[in-house]
């Protein structure tokens, strides 16, 4: 229990809110992705190069709708609205559903555990500029464990 159940890779992540992110992949940490503001770079043994525009836009979208961004940035903005949508079930747990809408009419739905109020799931939708299709993405947060006993 608490062990990975699939093939994975070792990585290190360094993050400074709001817009600095660095991910180092493999045991030797020889593949690095750096995001600074709205710029993305990849560093390998071949040198440093700018990331593809699609990869950078995907990262910026995920960051814009991230739990950290929504709670730290969106909630402080004027025109933000919170909608309590009542009790439901998410990831086989009893949760309270809350949607946060910003002034740009972008929304994130959070599913909060009824017992400890920790987020269980986050969902958001976005429209793809190329095919105009509405895409729904979700993240699941689970298996919380205390880091340090008091």
């Amino acid at each position: 229990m608490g062990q990975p159940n699939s093939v994975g890779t070792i990585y290190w992540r360094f993050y400074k809110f709001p817009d600095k992110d660095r991910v180092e992949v493999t045991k030797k940490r020889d593949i690095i992705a750096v995001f600074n503001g709205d710029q993305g770079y990849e560093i390998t043994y071949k040198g440093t190069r700018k990331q593809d525009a699609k990869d950078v836009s995907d990262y910026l979208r995920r960051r814009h709708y991230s739990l950290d961004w929504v709670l730290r940035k969106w909630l402080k903005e004027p025109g933000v609205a919170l909608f309590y949508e009542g009790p439901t079930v998410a990831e086989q747990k009893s949760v309270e559903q809350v949607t946060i809408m910003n002034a740009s009419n972008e929304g994130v739905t959070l599913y909060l555990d009824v017992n400890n109020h920790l987020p269980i799931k986050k969902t958001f939708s976005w429209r793809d500029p190329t095919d105009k299709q509405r895409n729904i993405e979700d993240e699941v947060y689970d298996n919380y464990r205390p880091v340090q006993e008091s």
Side-chain angles (χ1 to χ4, degrees):
M1 186 142 161
Q3 297 296 317
N5 58 5
S6 64
V7 176
T9 185
I10 296 173
Y11 71 93
W12 290 260
R13 181 176 184 219
F14 305 93
Y15 174 67
K16 184 174 181 185
F17 185 81
D19 62 356
K20 293 182 183 354
D21 200 359
R22 178 183 175 112
V23 179
E24 300 176 0
V25 185
T26 74
K27 286 183 182 180
K28 295 182 181 181
R29 300 165 90 162
D30 54 358
I31 301 172
I32 302 167
V34 175
F35 294 94
N36 189 0
D38 62 352
Q39 300 294 311
Y41 304 92
E42 181 179 72
I43 303 168
T44 65
Y45 69 92
K46 294 179 181 180
T48 302
R49 70 172 185 87
K50 280 192 159 203
Q51 286 200 357
D52 297 330
K54 183 178 182 338
D55 293 339
V56 173
S57 70
D58 288 347
Y59 170 80
L60 293 174
R61 181 184 55 256
R62 285 191 310 272
R63 182 181 72 189
H64 180 70
Y65 288 100
S66 72
L67 186 61
D68 203 19
W69 198 271
V70 168
L71 296 178
R72 290 174 137 192
K73 249 188 127 138
W74 285 23
L75 290 179
K76 293 179 181 179
E77 293 175 356
V80 72
L82 283 83
F83 301 96
Y84 174 70
E85 299 182 57
T88 189
V89 175
E91 301 303 312
Q92 303 166 354
K93 296 183 181 198
S94 295
V95 296
E96 301 286 340
Q97 182 175 339
V98 177
T99 297
I100 302 169
M101 298 285 293
N102 65 14
S104 302
N105 205 27
E106 299 166 323
V108 170
T109 301
L110 299 176
Y111 301 87
L112 308 170
D113 190 310
V114 295
N115 297 316
N116 56 23
H117 307 295
L118 290 171
I120 298 296
K121 183 177 175 182
K122 176 193 73 171
T123 304
F124 68 92
S125 66
W126 58 280
R127 192 164 301 279
D128 191 324
T130 56
D131 63 12
K132 307 297 183 210
Q133 294 295 313
R134 186 170 165 247
N135 298 296
I136 298 174
E137 292 189 28
D138 62 342
E139 282 184 14
V140 175
Y141 311 100
D142 201 4
N143 200 15
Y144 288 104
R145 296 183 299 266
V147 174
Q148 182 178 6
E149 299 285 332
S150 2

